[in-house]
Amino acid sequence: MKILVTGAKGFVGKNLVAQLCNIKSGKAKNYPLPKDITIYEYDVDTNPELLEVYAKDVDFVCHLAGVNRPKNESEFMTGNFGFTETLLSALSKNGNKAPVLITSSIQAALDNPYGQSKKAGEDLIFEYGRTNGVKTLVYRLPNVFGKWCRPNYNSAVATFCNNIANDLEITVNDPSVTMNLVYIDDVVDEFISAISGSETRDGDFCRIPTVHTITLGEIVNLIYKFKNQPETLVVPEIPLGSFEKKLYSTYLSYLPEEKVKFPLKMNVDARGSFTELIRSEKVGQVSVNISKPGITKGQHWHNTKWEFFIVVSGHGLIEQRKIGTDKVLRFEVSGEKIEAVHMLPGYTHNIINLSDSEDLVTVMWANEAFDPNKPDTYFEEV
């Protein structure tokens, strides 16, 4: 299958081409497209003669090229209507009835130069489809956000993510303004479904199934939470498929090199060290504990808090005893066979490094983040 992508170096085009390449190479296996695909990439710097070559045998056209911020308003019509006309003429000239997918904009419903050019492109596509008996797929996209989107151009989300990540000022004139947003991965997934013949339709138009509605103020507040994570270690809630999850991934893609790595506070003493790695808003915290040879740590119990101890390196012994009893539970653990051990509520517990020469490294997860005002931690030897 031969797929032409115009605007291949743009935000949406770059993401679509990357995923099509993953399908072609067999890395992405959860898509209905076959691996034997050929991807024709066309952009503003491509030799125009190649358009004729591609138009002869392409099986599907993803027409993503367009003009958003021209120097002159007349370029809207040239870029959003003129090139569409050139593309369709090339297909028609070669008698190619390949389906054509085009990205339009919700602004096509507005009376401004950009919207007028998008509407003209839509009308041209619809007429081409009717006249030539060709399947056409017109997507009026709302604001699209995600990795590789150009900041300070035509995406508020890209600008906010980039500027906040790089400690630059942002301007929010009205935090209550509501935005309808679609995430780039959702757009790409829908386009790939469309290429395979399973587009999502709404009358004459096609649409992205998942649209997120949120205010500018809420977006900015979330991004600042993400920015503060290296200091607070708190990751906000990011449920599967949520806007928060998608925005966090987007924000990270704009981090400058010097912020990709950040320090963690190691609490070090003669016994080893204890370092908190991450906190969540609702499901506790993760830490790493390093015990020197022969060292015993712990010797405390909790009323409600419970933990997993997971030894990832070294050789140790975990002991637990129910408060008020004499019976001791003993679990020998090793990085050679990684296992998780529950630290039971109401049981005092410890962890002992059995090695004479190697550190014992233990990943610890607690069901709640440590609160110094209510630690729920009581010393008692096992």
Side-chain angles (χ1 to χ4, degrees):
M1 184 179 195
K2 299 179 178 66
I3 303 167
L4 170 61
V5 180
T6 71
K9 293 182 180 178
F11 168 40
V12 177
K14 188 175 180 181
N15 277 274
L16 176 59
V17 168
Q19 198 65 347
L20 288 174
C21 288
N22 285 334
I23 294 171
K24 180 180 176 67
S25 65
K27 298 172 186 174
K29 305 179 188 299
N30 57 328
Y31 289 95
L33 289 182
K35 287 173 57 177
D36 59 336
I37 58 176
T38 300
I39 307 161
Y40 296 146
E41 299 181 44
Y42 192 92
D43 211 278
V44 65
D45 58 354
T46 305
N47 185 341
E49 295 178 2
L50 286 176
L51 191 61
E52 286 286 341
V53 176
Y54 297 157
K56 289 180 181 178
D57 64 350
V58 68
D59 298 306
F60 195 99
V61 178
C62 289
H63 180 32
L64 314 180
V67 174
N68 296 311
R69 289 282 185 94
K71 295 179 180 178
N72 190 302
E73 283 189 355
S74 64
E75 294 177 41
F76 278 130
M77 196 61 73
T78 302
N80 295 327
F81 174 82
F83 179 67
T84 300
E85 190 174 41
T86 300
L87 170 64
L88 298 181
S89 295
L91 292 167
S92 182
K93 175 183 174 182
N94 288 281
N96 190 332
K97 295 185 179 296
V100 180
L101 178 158
I102 184 173
T103 49
S104 184
S105 166
I106 54 174
Q107 290 201 45
L110 304 179
D111 187 21
N112 60 48
Y114 176 66
Q116 290 169 355
S117 68
K118 283 297 189 181
K119 180 65 166 59
E122 291 178 356
D123 292 342
L124 188 63
I125 284 283
F126 284 133
E127 179 60 27
Y128 169 79
R130 286 190 294 268
T131 302
N132 296 279
V134 171
K135 181 179 181 180
T136 56
L137 305 93
V138 179
Y139 285 84
R140 276 189 175 180
L141 297 178
N143 298 280
V144 186
F145 72 103
K147 67 183 184 301
W148 305 339
C149 185
R150 181 176 169 184
N152 302 302
Y153 186 58
N154 66 339
S155 168
V157 173
T159 300
F160 291 158
C161 286
N162 176 77
N163 288 14
I164 292 173
N166 288 276
D167 301 318
L168 302 174
E169 289 186 5
I170 63 168
T171 301
V172 183
N173 294 322
D174 185 356
S176 67
V177 168
T178 298
M179 296 187 71
N180 292 317
L181 298 157
V182 289
Y183 182 53
I184 187 60
D185 286 7
D186 295 330
V187 174
V188 168
D189 285 352
E190 169 63 21
F191 286 180
I192 293 174
S193 291
I195 294 170
S196 69
S198 300
E199 70 275 8
T200 303
R201 283 200 173 265
D202 221 352
D204 292 335
F205 293 90
C206 298
R207 63 180 176 85
I208 310 303
T210 302
V211 179
H212 300 279
T213 301
I214 189 168
T215 67
L216 283 175
E218 289 171 324
I219 293 170
V220 170
N221 289 339
L222 277 170
I223 297 173
Y224 275 116
K225 278 189 177 182
F226 303 153
K227 179 182 181 179
N228 294 332
Q229 193 276 331
E231 285 76 41
T232 65
L233 299 182
V234 176
V235 177
E237 282 191 83
I238 47 174
L240 185 65
S242 67
F243 175 77
E244 291 82 0
K245 179 178 185 291
K246 298 167 184 177
L247 183 64
Y248 207 158
S249 294
T250 302
Y251 167 76
L252 290 176
S253 72
Y254 291 92
L255 279 182
E257 181 180 349
E258 64 271 16
K259 289 188 179 181
V260 175
K261 181 178 74 170
F262 61 92
L264 295 169
K265 182 185 177 184
M266 295 182 66
N267 301 288
V268 182
D269 58 26
R271 303 173 303 157
S273 66
F274 179 83
T275 306
E276 188 177 344
L277 303 180
I278 195 168
R279 288 181 171 221
S280 67
E281 292 185 336
K282 290 189 176 180
V283 289
Q285 69 182 54
V286 180
S287 308
V288 61
N289 181 76
I290 300 177
S291 301
K292 295 295 182 182
I295 291 296
T296 298
K297 285 190 174 184
Q299 307 286 43
H300 59 240
W301 63 280
H302 316 290
N303 279 310
T304 302
K305 184 187 299 184
W306 59 275
E307 302 157 298
F308 285 136
F309 283 10
I310 305 167
V311 168
V312 296
S313 180
H315 178 207
L317 179 68
I318 294 172
E319 297 181 324
Q320 300 189 64
R321 178 178 58 81
K322 186 176 181 179
I323 297 302
T325 70
D326 296 326
K327 183 179 179 180
V328 177
L329 310 180
R330 291 184 172 87
F331 305 94
E332 195 167 343
V333 287
S334 168
E336 297 296 318
K337 183 183 179 183
I338 297 179
E339 300 171 298
V341 182
H342 287 98
M343 297 300 107
L344 306 172
Y347 281 68
T348 186
H349 50 268
N350 64 28
I351 183 165
I352 304 166
N353 187 346
L354 297 178
S355 172
D356 294 328
S357 58
E358 295 181 350
D359 287 347
L360 180 69
V361 182
T362 308
V363 174
M364 298 176 171
W365 174 83
N367 69 321
E368 60 185 48
F370 180 75
D371 180 357
N373 296 316
K374 190 180 178 181
D376 189 18
T377 301
Y378 310 98
F379 173 80
E380 183 169 332
E381 292 187 358
V382 175

